[in-house]
Amino acid sequence: MKKILLVSLVVGLAGCGKSEAEKAKYEAEMKELRYNQMAEGFVKSHLKDPDSAQFRGQQGFCGEVNSKNSFGAYTGFKKFIAADKNMIVMEDDLSPQEFRKVWDGVCK
């Protein structure tokens, strides 16, 4: 958490004296970081071993996660959509066709 705050502070200070386009870009990047952090928290609350979670390919509330199961083995990266802590859809929760349809509608 301290790293995130430090990065936010450094990036925030770097935003001083920038053009409107640069400020808009900075705001969009910060918004994306906040969404990623929120989604990671939502997904971790859904996992058997949240400390083992590895994330990749995140874009807002969508991405992939790999974590350990109850046997202590990694399950492999699986796509997720995490709208809030009570609405997390993992790739295995739906049929491949249904998940693809939701993924394409929400995450693209």
Side-chain angles (χ1 to χ4, degrees), residues 2-12 30 33:
K2 288 182 182 179
K3 277 196 243 178
I4 294 169
L5 291 174
L6 181 60
V7 169
S8 297
L9 179 62
V10 169
V11 173
M30 293 309 298
L33 281 173

Side-chain angles (χ1 to χ4, degrees), residues 21-70:
E22 290 170 325
K23 287 179 185 177
K25 181 181 176 190
Y26 165 77
E27 287 298 321
E29 289 170 354
M30 293 309 298
K31 184 177 179 181
E32 183 75 15
L33 281 173
R34 285 192 300 274
Y35 287 168
N36 287 351
Q37 290 171 349
M38 289 172 59
E40 284 182 17
F42 298 155
V43 171
K44 283 182 176 183
S45 71
H46 186 74
L47 300 173
K48 296 264 186 202
D49 184 355
D51 293 332
S52 70
Q54 302 169 341
F55 293 89
R56 73 175 184 193
Q58 274 189 267
Q59 292 182 342
F61 294 102
C62 303
E64 294 179 288
V65 64
N66 185 17
S67 67
K68 291 182 180 180
N69 59 21
S70 46

